[in-house]
């Protein structure tokens, strides 16, 4: 496949729209109601009303992580002028645990897209230490790259995304 990529984060334009290229180095599992999130899968708003269960790998409890969940397609994929919309921000998550062991800086807000198919992206960064990441002033026009740079988080260590549209919507995201 010359010139192409099979990386679903590239195909789904998460790499480019939200993140720079990176190598995943920590396992992260995201699930809603016992259904795992895999890159590009589809969920309806009723399935993601409550915050997901997330488990973070690693083997050193002295390592802490920041979890970010954003929608780069707000308010609509054809005019994403609120890109990125911050749905969740949790810091100080110890390795081998999940968000419930961290500090919820921005509470989970369930995605409720009104127009088109949106991507919800979960990104995990390794922190340099504890209590080194603080809340942004607002949810709209959040920028994952700038946030990571501001707090010296470096490149992500894991990421996964799913597609979502309004409850009565149908069809999948078209990849060109």
């Amino acid at each position: 496949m010359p010139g192409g990529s099979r990386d679903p984060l590239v195909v789904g334009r998460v790499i480019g729209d939200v993140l720079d290229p990176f190598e995943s180095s920590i396992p992260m599992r995201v699930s809603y109601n016992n259904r795992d999130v895999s890159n590009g899968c589809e969920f309806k708003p009723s399935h993601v009303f409550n915050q997901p269960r997330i488990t973070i790998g690693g083997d050193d409890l002295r390592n802490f992580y920041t979890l970010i969940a954003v929608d780069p397609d707000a308010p609509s994929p054809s005019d994403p002028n609120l890109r990125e919309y911050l749905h969740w921000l949790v810091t100080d998550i110890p390795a081998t645990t999940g968000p419930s062991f961290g500090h919820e800086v921005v509470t989970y807000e369930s995605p409720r897209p009104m127009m088109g198919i949106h991507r919800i992206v979960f990104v995990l960064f390794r922190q340099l230490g504890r209590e080194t990441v603080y809340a942004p002033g607002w949810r709209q026009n959040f920028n994952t790259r700038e946030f990571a740079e501001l707090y010296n988080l470096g490149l992500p260590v894991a990421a996964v995304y799913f597609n979502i549209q309004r409850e009565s919507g149908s069809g999948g995201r078209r990849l060109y």
Side-chain angles (χ1 to χ4, degrees), residues 124-167:
L124 190 68
F125 292 96
R126 183 173 169 194
Q127 295 173 209
L128 294 176
R130 284 191 76 174
E131 299 177 3
T132 57
V133 179
Y134 301 98
W138 49 85
R139 290 180 186 260
Q140 69 275 9
N141 299 119
F142 181 83
N143 187 303
T144 300
R145 285 185 187 96
E146 289 176 5
F147 187 82
E149 186 176 326
L150 178 65
Y151 292 110
N152 296 309
L153 297 174
L155 290 172
V157 294
V160 66
Y161 82 98
F162 66 87
N163 293 321
I164 188 169
Q165 58 187 317
R166 68 184 197 282
E167 203 69 36

Side-chain angles (χ1 to χ4, degrees), residues 54-76:
I54 299 180
T55 48
I56 296 166
D59 53 14
D60 189 343
L61 285 166
R62 295 171 297 183
N63 289 336
F64 294 92
Y65 296 90
T66 292
L67 175 73
I68 296 171
V70 295
D71 177 352
D73 302 311
S76 74

